[in-house]
Each structure stands twice: as C-alpha cells, then as structure tokens.
Amino acid sequence: MKNLIALPVSQATESRISLWLNRKNVLFSSIMEERVSNRQAVFIFQAQVSFCILSFSFFIHWLAAVACLCWFVYSLLLCRKGGLR
C-alpha cells in the first residue's frame, strides 16, 4: 500500500511561482526601507528596463521612441497597481 500525503486545499492550489512571487525581496526591501515582494521587484525591474530601452530608442526612430514611451508608462502603471508608491 502506498503512503499518500494529502495537502490542505490552500497549499495545494498555490504553485511554486506564486509562492516565490509573494516572498520578500531582500535587495529592494533594504533599498526602499519597506517590505517589497518579488512580484513588486519584477515590476520595478521591468520599469528600469523599459526606461533604458526608451533612452536609447531616441537614436533609432521617433516611432520606436513613441512605442517605448508607451511601454514605459504602462510599466509605471503596473508598478502603481502592484502596490508601489
């Protein structure tokens, strides 16, 4: 007979990714001096990457700069929606 372990429903429905996203991010929490989850750290990283690409897109084409500006504004809105001030 096999030994079966039954998990509670709350643990069984959460995946490893969602558990990691809800964990505290040490680096950004120490910089910002407040609790920052990994999900919020991903939003911050996306905003940083979109800003870097936006700053270099001005040298390529104005249409690329407009598209990157839209991406940067959208990433800032995601940060705001994710609970960051």
Side-chain angles (χ1 to χ4, degrees):
M1 183 173 203
K2 293 182 181 179
N3 291 335
L4 298 175
I5 298 174
L7 293 175
V9 176
S10 63
Q11 286 182 349
T13 58
E14 293 187 46
S15 67
R16 287 184 177 185
I17 295 173
S18 65
L19 290 174
W20 180 81
L21 286 173
N22 292 330
R23 231 181 270 155
K24 179 183 175 183
N25 187 290
V26 178
L27 177 66
F28 282 110
S29 293
S30 64
I31 291 172
M32 296 178 66
E33 297 180 352
E34 64 182 43
R35 188 184 186 284
V36 177
S37 68
N38 284 331
R39 179 184 313 270
Q40 293 170 332
V42 169
F43 288 149
I44 294 170
F45 182 71
Q46 179 186 359
Q48 290 173 342
V49 169
S50 65
F51 178 75
C52 290
I53 293 175
L54 172 66
S55 62
F56 290 117
S57 68
F58 288 112
F59 302 112
I60 298 172
H61 196 269
W62 67 271
L63 205 57
V66 170
C68 290
L69 179 65
C70 292
W71 179 32
F72 178 64
V73 169
Y74 178 70
S75 64
L76 289 179
L77 290 174
L78 280 178
C79 286
R80 185 83 160 166
K81 186 179 176 183
L84 295 168
R85 289 185 259 150

